[in-house]
Amino acid sequence: MGARWLRLLRRAAEAAGPTCVKLGQWASTRRDLFSEAFCDEFSKLHVEVSPHPWGHTDELLRKAFGEEWMGILQFPSREPVGSGCVAQVYKAYADLAAIGGSRAEQLEPRSELRSAFQAWEVAKPLLMSGELILPLLVLVQVLHPGLVHQVQMDLFFMKMGSRIIGLLPGFKWLSLTEIVEEFEKLMMQQIDLRYEARNLERFRQNFLDVDFVKFPTPLWPLVTADVLVETFEESEPISHYLHVEIGTELRQRLARMGMDMLLKMIFVDNFVHADLHPGNILVQGTAWPGSARPEQAVVPELSDTVVLGVQPSLQQLRLVLLDAGIVAELQSADLQNFRAVFTAVVLGQGERVAELILHHARANQCQDIERFKADMAELVTKARGNTIALGKLQVGNLLSSVFKLLMTHKVKLESNFASIIFAIMVLEGLGRSLDPELDILEAAKPLLMKTAVSALK
């Protein structure tokens, strides 16, 4: 009956609109607040919604880029390639030359676009007639109609409801009003596509010297609150590589790349992609393994328009990360505390873990602190005792058990702290599906060594 009730609740959230869907997605990451069954059920809330009509897309494009937007973007089809609860996505060709002036100059230095500009220079003398579009293949995200107003109304009612429910004794420790305020901040960022574009830019800067991780490039002259144009990255979902017929060596490489990427986000950059489900992780570069394939220029015909397409070499194996609208970033003191917690977990210091978490908790109604410490020590010791070697310790499973213990003792984490822990759990689970021998501890060792001494004091 409990499972059936949760399933009905999830379907009700899907039917209630984008705010409730996003709330369910966010709540599924807060395993320190909600039961495992609830989080597992609501983690399924990655839904496709009915697309809005082309007329709304046309209206937003006119609002964003003027009446002559068709001189900048050429859509091979008016059918979207995807429609989520916040926005829908189209493939299009962007004519960078039509942007004109200083706005086009902002794009030219970007490495992903240089080949397109070079192709433009090569093709210009050859194509003397007709309209020439610089053929950069892009994705165009467009917000659904009425979304902002609907979200504002939903958040207003959520705030009112949280204040009423917060008066009940059993719910007081959850601090529902604060939870709604946290969610409001996240939701308002989700409905302003400029925020996602800024996140993409920051991720790209952070990984500038890392050749195995890639993010789409937002085309800033073509970014508004309602419309986001970014480069299209030809790739495959990482879930395609979970099948047994994929070579072991390739799967192991992908698992290590994913773990190195996450550890860099957490311990080096302190800027973490907080929505790392498999649908947002793509693999690029395995189409022609072991053979050179130079860049080729292709000139297909699109209606009356000549479109020059550049197919880049896919030699470099890369992870491509999408949907950077949700990120987690810790304050300096919180980051130091997180490192100390992580180090204490892997060293088996359960009581130390409990002390650090209590120190960091935003709110708690822990009735027996000594019992909480003892339970945490027992949990960590048991997890380590059941493993043959340290490398076999599944940190994700251990952290999941830690979340259960937090809920039992009514200890609530700061939201970004919880988001980072959840990101570790999700990505380690995906990594172990690719490589059962994945050792997050070995991968984290160089980074943890720098803080181990201070964490043990």
Side-chain angles (χ1 to χ4, degrees), residues 10 30 78 128 364 379:
R10 172 177 60 82
R30 295 306 306 271
R78 293 185 174 184
M128 302 301 294
N364 76 80
L379 173 64

PDB file of all heavy atoms in Angstrom, residues 10 30 78 128 364 379:
ATOM      1  N   ARG A  10       3.475  10.502  -6.956  1.00  0.00           N
ATOM      2  CA  ARG A  10       4.379  10.932  -8.039  1.00  0.00           C
ATOM      3  C   ARG A  10       3.575  11.315  -9.286  1.00  0.00           C
ATOM      4  O   ARG A  10       3.867  12.322  -9.935  1.00  0.00           O
ATOM      5  CB  ARG A  10       5.370   9.815  -8.380  1.00  0.00           C
ATOM      6  CG  ARG A  10       6.217  10.119  -9.620  1.00  0.00           C
ATOM      7  CD  ARG A  10       7.243   9.047  -9.901  1.00  0.00           C
ATOM      8  NE  ARG A  10       6.661   7.747 -10.130  1.00  0.00           N
ATOM      9  CZ  ARG A  10       6.154   7.340 -11.301  1.00  0.00           C
ATOM     10  NH1 ARG A  10       6.125   8.164 -12.333  1.00  0.00           N
ATOM     11  NH2 ARG A  10       5.658   6.122 -11.435  1.00  0.00           N
ATOM     12  N   ARG A  30      17.114  14.754  -1.292  1.00  0.00           N
ATOM     13  CA  ARG A  30      17.236  15.066   0.129  1.00  0.00           C
ATOM     14  C   ARG A  30      16.910  13.842   0.972  1.00  0.00           C
ATOM     15  O   ARG A  30      15.889  13.748   1.641  1.00  0.00           O
ATOM     16  CB  ARG A  30      16.325  16.241   0.495  1.00  0.00           C
ATOM     17  CG  ARG A  30      16.706  17.545  -0.171  1.00  0.00           C
ATOM     18  CD  ARG A  30      18.161  17.937   0.064  1.00  0.00           C
ATOM     19  NE  ARG A  30      18.539  17.988   1.469  1.00  0.00           N
ATOM     20  CZ  ARG A  30      18.423  19.066   2.239  1.00  0.00           C
ATOM     21  NH1 ARG A  30      17.964  20.182   1.734  1.00  0.00           N
ATOM     22  NH2 ARG A  30      18.789  19.017   3.504  1.00  0.00           N
ATOM     23  N   ARG A  78      10.238  22.303 -37.488  1.00  0.00           N
ATOM     24  CA  ARG A  78       9.593  23.020 -36.385  1.00  0.00           C
ATOM     25  C   ARG A  78       9.200  22.085 -35.254  1.00  0.00           C
ATOM     26  O   ARG A  78       8.636  22.521 -34.252  1.00  0.00           O
ATOM     27  CB  ARG A  78       8.369  23.775 -36.894  1.00  0.00           C
ATOM     28  CG  ARG A  78       8.721  24.919 -37.837  1.00  0.00           C
ATOM     29  CD  ARG A  78       7.486  25.721 -38.228  1.00  0.00           C
ATOM     30  NE  ARG A  78       7.856  26.893 -39.008  1.00  0.00           N
ATOM     31  CZ  ARG A  78       6.995  27.817 -39.421  1.00  0.00           C
ATOM     32  NH1 ARG A  78       5.705  27.671 -39.129  1.00  0.00           N
ATOM     33  NH2 ARG A  78       7.405  28.863 -40.112  1.00  0.00           N
ATOM     34  N   MET A 128      29.095  31.909 -54.539  1.00  0.00           N
ATOM     35  CA  MET A 128      28.935  33.321 -54.901  1.00  0.00           C
ATOM     36  C   MET A 128      27.465  33.721 -55.007  1.00  0.00           C
ATOM     37  O   MET A 128      27.157  34.898 -55.067  1.00  0.00           O
ATOM     38  CB  MET A 128      29.637  33.601 -56.233  1.00  0.00           C
ATOM     39  CG  MET A 128      31.121  33.253 -56.216  1.00  0.00           C
ATOM     40  SD  MET A 128      32.032  34.166 -54.951  1.00  0.00           S
ATOM     41  CE  MET A 128      31.878  35.832 -55.566  1.00  0.00           C
ATOM     42  N   ASN A 364      18.544  20.489  13.759  1.00  0.00           N
ATOM     43  CA  ASN A 364      18.379  19.114  14.196  1.00  0.00           C
ATOM     44  C   ASN A 364      17.617  19.081  15.506  1.00  0.00           C
ATOM     45  O   ASN A 364      17.636  20.043  16.278  1.00  0.00           O
ATOM     46  CB  ASN A 364      19.735  18.415  14.320  1.00  0.00           C
ATOM     47  CG  ASN A 364      20.506  18.819  15.564  1.00  0.00           C
ATOM     48  OD1 ASN A 364      20.250  18.331  16.661  1.00  0.00           O
ATOM     49  ND2 ASN A 364      21.469  19.735  15.388  1.00  0.00           N
ATOM     50  N   LEU A 379      27.826   1.998  12.117  1.00  0.00           N
ATOM     51  CA  LEU A 379      27.532   1.939  10.682  1.00  0.00           C
ATOM     52  C   LEU A 379      28.809   1.933   9.857  1.00  0.00           C
ATOM     53  O   LEU A 379      28.991   1.101   8.955  1.00  0.00           O
ATOM     54  CB  LEU A 379      26.660   3.131  10.297  1.00  0.00           C
ATOM     55  CG  LEU A 379      26.382   3.348   8.811  1.00  0.00           C
ATOM     56  CD1 LEU A 379      25.596   2.177   8.251  1.00  0.00           C
ATOM     57  CD2 LEU A 379      25.614   4.646   8.590  1.00  0.00           C
TER      58      LEU A 379
END
